[in-house]
Amino acid sequence: QSPESYFSLNFGNSLASEFVMSVTELDLLIQNVVLAQGETCRFRQENLQVLRWETYSPEEVLSFQQKPIDHIWERCVCHVTEAIQYIVEFAKRLSGFMELNPNDQIVLLKAGAMEVLLIRMSRAFNCYNSTVFFEGKYAPLEIFQSLGCSDLIGSMFDLCHSLCALNLSEHEMAFISSMILLDPSRPWLQDKQKVEILHKKLDHAFRYLLRTSLRESILTKLPQKGRLLSICQLHMEKLNIFRQMYPGIACERFPPLYKELFI
Ligand code: CLR
């Protein structure tokens, strides 16, 4: 694994593979990751596809923009938290995750949940008109204007554009998400080795999957760690600014899971 990527980029049968996995083992792991994803997605791909062109009217966008900052923040944070609950559920179903010590489970989720949300957001993104699925319809970036985070939302939308261009399958997205979560280089891990082994196995299985579907070329085009990290940092910065402006709300009205992960 190179420091700037979640995925090892050495092509061919590398010398680096210190262990061998049988085809059965690879297939079982693929099944595990794909099933975990299928069972923990709030919206099915088919449903999102059907609603793709249901967008908010300009009047509706305007009415969102006129709502108070704290109201929109609270609403968005609730949706984000709900989406993260599904991501936690996804993590719990990945083989090996529940066997990690509780501290390391928290460390991985704190660092990875928001990044996985970004990957999942691209499923719910229509790149032809730059809208994202929000409260039942597709919303343009302007709907989030009153949050006061246009740079954050802008970079989230940009990332979705790059991800959409790759045309990722559900299987690929599932693997990308699992490898983001089980990243052994996260700071504060107590049992790094255990996560390293899980990550290596995922890496083998992902390459096997890509090889059999002739999709290895996407490896060099996937977003780099730094890009996801900087969006997550921007989210933390915006959250801190909001907390300074409205000290009460963040503590009283944000869901406990959101506070546990980000405050
Ligand atoms: C991501 C994929 C999930 C379902 C889901 C739920 C809530 C959505 C989220 C997706 C994408 C990002 C989203 C969010 C609600 C608010 C947030 C549209 C579609 C926008 C970008 C505002 C973020 C504001 C931060 C300051 C919290 O399966």
Side-chain angles (χ1 to χ4, degrees):
Q1 197 194 356
S2 69
E4 56 303 330
S5 175
Y6 290 107
F7 317 95
S8 60
L9 297 169
N10 47 328
F11 291 92
N13 285 325
S14 61
L15 305 164
S17 55
E18 302 104 64
F19 58 85
V20 181
M21 284 169 80
S22 69
V23 173
T24 324
E25 219 179 327
L26 291 166
D27 282 333
L28 280 174
L29 188 52
I30 292 175
Q31 220 181 77
N32 166 246
V33 174
V34 168
L35 208 65
Q37 170 92 345
E39 291 170 343
T40 61
C41 275
R42 169 85 164 72
F43 306 107
R44 315 205 116 274
Q45 191 69 73
E46 308 91 78
N47 304 344
L48 289 168
Q49 213 60 35
V50 173
L51 294 167
R52 243 165 124 67
W53 301 103
E54 295 283 326
T55 48
Y56 286 100
S57 69
E59 296 74 32
E60 288 173 310
V61 174
L62 194 68
S63 98
F64 268 100
Q65 290 174 334
Q66 287 162 347
K67 293 202 165 79
I69 301 190
D70 57 323
H71 170 92
I72 288 292
W73 256 91
E74 196 186 333
R75 238 156 109 173
C76 285
V77 161
C78 284
H79 294 306
V80 165
T81 307
E82 203 206 51
I84 287 180
Q85 264 158 2
Y86 284 91
I87 294 169
V88 173
E89 207 46 53
F90 169 71
K92 284 162 76 177
R93 286 166 200 236
L94 292 175
S95 78
F97 184 86
M98 289 309 276
E99 280 77 64
L100 297 171
N101 74 53
N103 168 76
D104 288 356
Q105 293 178 17
I106 305 275
V107 166
L108 295 176
L109 284 168
K110 272 190 171 225
M114 196 66 186
E115 298 191 8
V116 172
L117 182 110
L118 295 169
I119 304 296
R120 289 190 167 197
M121 178 176 170
S122 72
R123 287 173 83 239
F125 188 77
N126 181 349
C127 57
Y128 299 100
N129 59 7
S130 279
T131 52
V132 67
F133 193 68
F134 174 71
E135 300 190 349
K137 282 194 215 180
Y138 277 78
L141 177 146
E142 293 77 36
I143 233 172
F144 305 107
Q145 183 178 289
S146 60
L147 285 169
C149 307
S150 44
D151 46 354
L152 169 63
I153 313 290
S155 40
M156 290 169 89
F157 274 56
D158 285 345
L159 180 79
C160 285
H161 269 289
S162 322
L163 287 169
C164 284
L166 297 177
N167 233 311
L168 299 173
S169 69
E170 291 284 301
H171 290 26
E172 290 163 354
M173 244 180 248
F175 265 95
I176 294 167
S177 305
S178 68
M179 291 171 75
I180 288 176
L181 282 170
L182 289 163
D183 175 3
S185 72
R186 301 292 187 193
W188 312 112
L189 281 176
Q190 286 169 357
D191 198 344
K192 199 175 145 79
Q193 273 84 21
K194 240 183 180 169
V195 183
E196 231 155 43
I197 294 171
L198 294 175
H199 192 271
K200 276 204 185 121
K201 290 193 171 173
L202 288 168
D203 193 70
H204 276 265
F206 188 35
R207 292 164 151 284
Y208 171 72
L209 179 86
L210 293 177
R211 204 155 51 231
T212 49
S213 52
L214 305 176
R215 286 273 288 168
E216 278 175 304
S217 60
I218 66 165
L219 277 173
T220 52
K221 298 175 197 143
L222 291 171
Q224 303 247 296
K225 275 186 182 182
R227 181 147 182 218
L228 299 181
L229 187 65
S230 76
I231 296 178
C232 294
Q233 283 168 344
L234 206 48
H235 166 241
M236 297 302 292
E237 266 170 50
K238 298 297 168 184
L239 172 61
N240 283 329
I241 295 171
F242 178 79
R243 285 173 65 202
Q244 275 159 23
M245 282 195 316
Y246 297 89
I249 291 168
C251 300
E252 286 154 23
R253 305 222 293 259
F254 284 178
L257 176 63
Y258 184 84
K259 288 191 279 189
E260 196 179 329
L261 293 178
F262 305 116
I263 295 192

